[in-house]
């Protein structure tokens, strides 16, 4: 029996022996079901597995700050202005009428999951995802961050040219009250030379150890000033070039910490921010494509059990690709080539017009169909065992896949993405599908930053234990691969497979959130509708 007070405080109450509620926690039992498969003389020998776990979710939502690196950019300023519009319920006029603020585009705040069915009507019952477990409301996030450009947030919003003027006009005083971003770390070698004119707000000097301590002090001060329990540090600054992975420099946690002490040239600003957050025990999420998470960062996060997630927001073209390529392959159709073109005219596009920064984006956009292709050996010949390393046979069959990005200032933040899917169909036939997608880039990205921040905070409150071994509850593994739905090139536990399929990513998240309240099983089987 649940105490009434506990029950009232929660939009969903699960009445089952698998779920219990205390004032502080929701505790659930969950059986992780799978199957071990071995292949013996061409036959698949399958042994179902079932391992019992318990989850414990702290019910008190942390007072959470979001510190954005690149706060004055299009994403940072758009996120701030839209939160303020929601918080102060600012409505504005567009040429089509009166517009209300909302959180459309947020998986957590604008999409639902099926809980079950109403026994009296047999009808499905859906709830907002944000009701499944206690989560921060975006309106309650305390905003802050850094930028190499010192423009005040109201000026940054104006410069971004994303929001309707009538909204900008009304939200302006609130934005001005946020002030200017904190001075940031600028190592010109990592972003495009065309960004130099913006860099008027930088922490002086070249001593990387001093820079690290400066950032750590910024995080601590922000936390203290606002009385926060948790700060999520979020990279939404310019895309950097890739860092070289150099043995002895960034390959282990200790080497990386020493490389920072020695101000080694290959330590990027984003890596420095990640290390600062990890050392402060606060989560760090990378919304851009560069390899911020060099092996030394991952080892440090593991050592200190500090959460990290990345890379690169999956907002438009890649999100569609992670649905569309899967649709083709799962329908038994064989994509032969995927050709993607983008043009955009915002500052992100300007930065990506430089080759090394474009390369980072190209890499993160390119791997997105790999898992779908390798899941279907009927259509794509798998890699041949024993084939010479690097050969076509060793790589396995794969569609041709190219990505082009061009900077066209006139279109501003309104990005164009053109994709051609050229596929083999039945008995030698061919199918060509072209998709033309046009969208305000920052309005796609902003809800993803919110979802990533809110989920990250939640995942810091979830602990688990192996119920069979009677062990203590412990936190999740530090690389938060449950964030994959919002990320183009999901970072996962080393040695485990990346899942790019948007459907599988959503399923994983939904299953996990439900498991935390003691619900399990596929809600799409609907067995009762298929039997007498
Ligand atoms: P933006 O160029 O408008 O903003 C980036 C901001 O970062 C600028 O204000 C710049 O001054 C600042 N900056 C650069 N280096 C910095 C440093 N070391 N420290 C602090 N600030 C620094 O770009 P936007 O459109 O806001 O995008 C931000 C990032 O998100 C880019 O890396 C972009 O590739 C990535 N992204 C954006 C998506 C979108 O749909 N808008 C989708 C996927 C990724």
């Amino acid at each position: 029996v649940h105490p009434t007070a506990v029950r009232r405080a929660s939009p969903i109450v699960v009445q089952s022996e698998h779920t219990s509620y205390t004032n502080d926690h929701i505790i659930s039992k969950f059986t992780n079901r799978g199957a071990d498969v071995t292949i013996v003389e061409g036959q698949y020998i399958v042994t179902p597995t079932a391992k019992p776990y318990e989850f414990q979710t702290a019910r008190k939502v942390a007072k959470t700050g979001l510190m954005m690196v690149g706060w004055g950019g299009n994403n940072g300023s758009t996120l701030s202005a839209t939160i303020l519009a929601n918080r102060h319920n600012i409505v504005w006029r567009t040429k089509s009428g009166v517009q209300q603020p909302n959180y459309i585009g947020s998986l957590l705040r604008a999409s639902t999951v099926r809980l079950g069915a109403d026994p009296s009507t047999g009808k499905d019952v859906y709830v907002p995802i944000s009701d499944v477990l206690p989560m921060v409301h975006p309106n309650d996030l305390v905003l802050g961050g850094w930028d190499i450009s010192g423009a005040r947030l109201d000026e940054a919003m104006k410069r971004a040219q994303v929001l309707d003027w009538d909204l900008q006009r009304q939200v302006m005083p609130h934005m001005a009250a946020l002030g200017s971003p904190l001075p940031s770390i600028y190592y010109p070698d990592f972003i495009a030379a065309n960004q130099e004119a913006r860099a008027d707000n930088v922490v002086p000097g070249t001593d990387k150890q001093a820079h690290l301590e400066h950032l750590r002090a910024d995080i601590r001060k922000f936390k203290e000033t606002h009385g926060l329990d948790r700060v999520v540090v979020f990279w939404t600054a310019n895309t950097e070039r890739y860092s070289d992975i150099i043995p002895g420099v960034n390959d282990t946690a200790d080497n990386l910490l020493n490389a920072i002490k020695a101000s080694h040239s290959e330590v990027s600003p984003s890596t420095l921010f990640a290390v600062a957050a990890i050392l402060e025990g606060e989560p760090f999420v990378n919304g851009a494509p560069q390899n911020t998470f060099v092996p030394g960062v991952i080892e440090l996060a593991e050592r200190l059990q500090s959460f990290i997630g990345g890379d690169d927001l999956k907002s438009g073209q890649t999100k569609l690709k992670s649905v569309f390529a899967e649709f083709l392959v799962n329908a038994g159709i064989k994509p032969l080539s995927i050709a993607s073109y983008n043009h955009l005219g915002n500052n992100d596009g300007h930065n990506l017009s430089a080759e090394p920064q474009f390369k980072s984006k190209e890499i993160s956009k390119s791997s997105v169909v790999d898992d779908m292709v390798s899941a279907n050996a009927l259509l794509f010949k798998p890699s041949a065992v024993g084939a010479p390393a690097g050969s076509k046979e060793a790589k396995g069959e794969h569609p041709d896949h190219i990505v082009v990005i061009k900077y066209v200032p006139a279109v501003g933040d309104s990005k164009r993405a053109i994709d051609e899917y050229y596929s083999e169909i039945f008995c030698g036939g061919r199918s060509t599908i072209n998709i033309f997608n046009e969208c305000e880039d920052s309005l796609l990205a902003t809800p993803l930053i919110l979802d990533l921040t809110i989920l990250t905070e939640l995942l810091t409150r979830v602990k688990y234990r192996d119920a069979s071994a009677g062990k203590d509850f412990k936190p999740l593994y530090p690389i938060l691969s449950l964030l994959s739905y919002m990320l183009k090139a999901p970072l996962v536990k080393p040695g485990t497979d990346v899942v790019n399929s948007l459907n599988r990513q959503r399923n994983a998240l939904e299953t996990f959130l439900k498991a935390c309240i003691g619900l399990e099983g596929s809600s799409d089987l609907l067995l009762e509708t298929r039997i007498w």
Side-chain angles (χ1 to χ4, degrees):
V1 181
H2 316 297
T4 326
V6 168
R7 205 187 287 182
R8 282 216 188 103
S10 182
I12 298 171
V13 178
V14 179
Q15 294 187 310
S16 131
E17 62 197 21
H18 296 308
T19 312
S20 58
Y21 296 84
T22 69
N23 281 328
D24 296 332
H25 295 110
I26 301 172
I27 298 151
S28 66
K29 293 189 170 74
F30 175 76
T31 305
N32 192 30
R33 293 178 202 281
D36 288 339
V37 185
T38 47
I39 304 173
V40 180
E41 291 167 7
Q43 192 174 35
Y44 300 97
I45 312 293
V46 187
T47 317
T49 57
K51 204 167 169 197
Y53 287 96
E54 278 178 27
F55 292 111
Q56 182 203 61
T57 308
R59 305 185 65 180
K60 186 172 175 290
V61 172
K63 185 167 180 206
T64 304
L66 167 58
M67 289 189 92
M68 287 164 275
V69 193
W71 191 17
N74 281 23
N75 287 349
S77 59
T78 303
L79 180 141
S80 306
T82 48
I83 285 187
L84 290 168
N86 274 284
R87 197 185 284 166
H88 299 289
N89 199 20
I90 295 171
V91 299
W92 65 99
R93 284 197 169 273
T94 70
K95 63 183 174 189
S96 8
V98 174
Q99 178 66 48
Q100 307 283 337
N102 60 39
Y103 285 114
I104 287 187
S106 157
L107 180 85
L108 301 178
R109 306 249 23 129
S111 86
T112 61
V113 290
R114 184 180 178 275
L115 266 190
D118 180 337
S120 59
T121 59
K123 294 281 179 220
D124 289 343
V125 177
Y126 291 90
V127 293
I129 298 195
S130 55
D131 277 353
V132 177
L133 285 170
M135 298 184 201
V136 185
H137 192 290
N139 288 1
D140 297 332
L141 288 170
V142 178
L143 303 173
W146 303 261
D147 204 293
I148 55 171
S149 156
R152 234 182 25 216
L153 264 293
D154 55 326
E155 297 157 5
M157 167 180 70
K158 234 195 290 181
R159 174 177 62 191
Q161 300 181 14
V162 173
L163 299 169
D164 283 330
W165 172 246
D166 192 33
L167 171 57
Q168 287 194 37
R169 189 182 59 75
Q170 296 183 67
V171 85
M172 201 79 83
H174 302 290
M175 289 291 275
L178 291 174
S180 297
L182 296 166
S184 194
I185 310 296
Y186 177 51
Y187 306 146
D189 176 38
F190 282 90
I191 58 174
N194 60 35
Q195 297 296 309
E196 202 183 338
R198 273 174 102 98
D200 59 7
N201 188 42
V202 304
V203 180
T206 52
D207 180 339
K208 296 194 176 182
Q209 181 65 32
H211 286 168
L212 176 66
E213 279 151 24
H214 183 104
L215 297 178
R216 291 186 63 179
D218 282 347
I219 298 170
R220 275 199 301 273
K221 185 159 176 232
F222 185 70
K223 218 175 150 179
E224 274 165 31
T225 308
H226 298 281
L228 304 170
D229 311 310
R230 175 64 67 219
V231 173
V232 176
V233 179
F234 202 112
W235 183 273
T236 178
N238 286 127
T239 296
E240 296 175 330
R241 68 163 172 83
Y242 256 52
S243 299
D244 293 336
I245 307 297
I246 308 172
V249 173
N250 47 18
D251 55 340
T252 68
D254 289 331
N255 288 344
L256 177 61
L257 293 173
N258 284 329
I260 294 171
K261 279 200 190 100
S263 297
H264 194 283
S265 59
E266 213 44 37
V267 178
S268 66
S270 67
T271 291
L272 213 57
F273 272 96
V275 170
I278 291 167
L279 293 177
E280 287 304 310
E282 301 297 346
F284 180 89
V285 181
N286 178 26
Q290 71 278 339
N291 62 342
T292 301
F293 300 122
V294 294
V297 172
I298 292 177
E299 192 187 331
L300 191 66
E302 285 176 341
R303 187 187 289 173
L304 300 180
Q305 178 58 59
S306 199
F307 293 102
I308 55 175
D311 296 310
D312 206 6
L313 305 171
K314 181 156 75 171
S315 55
Q317 184 176 59
T318 309
K319 186 171 248 164
L320 187 61
K321 201 175 280 177
S322 65
V323 174
F324 208 80
E326 188 190 39
F327 142 63
L328 291 171
V329 175
N330 279 358
I333 291 170
K334 181 178 181 180
L336 299 171
S337 65
I338 303 173
S340 297
Y341 306 87
N342 301 261
H343 61 272
L344 72 172
N346 57 16
N347 188 54
D348 181 29
H350 199 199
N351 182 60
L352 293 175
S353 64
E355 185 61 22
Q357 285 69 31
F358 163 71
K359 267 264 130 3
S360 297
K361 201 54 125 181
E362 187 184 33
I363 294 171
S364 91
K365 277 177 169 273
S366 293
S367 57
V368 65
V369 299
D370 291 356
D371 54 334
M372 303 141 200
V373 167
S374 71
N376 191 330
L378 297 173
L379 294 178
F380 297 97
K381 254 194 233 103
S383 55
V385 186
S391 68
K392 225 175 145 184
E393 290 71 25
K395 254 189 91 197
E397 202 183 356
H398 204 273
D400 295 338
H401 186 187
I402 60 133
V403 177
V404 177
I405 304 176
K406 291 290 170 198
Y407 177 51
V408 180
V411 303
D413 198 61
S414 186
K415 184 158 103 185
R416 273 73 168 155
I418 301 154
D419 293 80
E420 183 190 89
Y421 294 83
Y422 178 57
S423 307
E424 180 178 344
I425 58 169
F426 193 46
C427 289
R430 293 289 183 270
S431 143
T432 307
I433 299 173
N434 285 296
I435 296 169
F436 190 104
N437 179 334
E438 186 188 320
C439 193
E440 202 87 55
D441 219 14
S442 305
L443 296 181
L444 285 179
T446 293
L448 303 189
I449 297 176
L450 291 174
D451 284 342
L452 286 163
T453 304
I454 293 165
L455 269 179
T456 297
E457 187 285 320
L458 167 65
L459 295 173
T460 64
R461 282 184 284 121
V462 178
K463 293 186 170 165
Y464 78 99
R465 73 172 165 208
D466 177 342
S468 60
K471 298 234 173 87
D472 287 342
F473 282 107
K474 60 179 181 186
L476 299 172
Y477 176 73
I479 296 179
L480 297 174
S481 54
L482 279 167
L483 305 177
S484 298
Y485 183 91
M486 294 100 198
L487 296 163
K488 249 197 290 277
L491 187 71
V492 300
K493 193 179 190 174
T496 61
D497 290 339
V498 177
V499 174
N500 289 297
S501 149
L502 197 74
N503 289 322
R504 291 184 64 199
Q505 291 167 338
R506 194 183 196 281
N507 235 332
L509 191 58
E510 182 176 329
T511 307
F512 181 81
L513 296 178
K514 284 184 171 174
C516 291
I517 56 170
L519 299 179
E520 54 180 283
S522 156
S523 57
D524 289 326
L525 176 59
L526 304 176
L527 185 62
E528 62 284 3
T529 68
R530 314 194 197 277
I531 53 181
W532 287 104

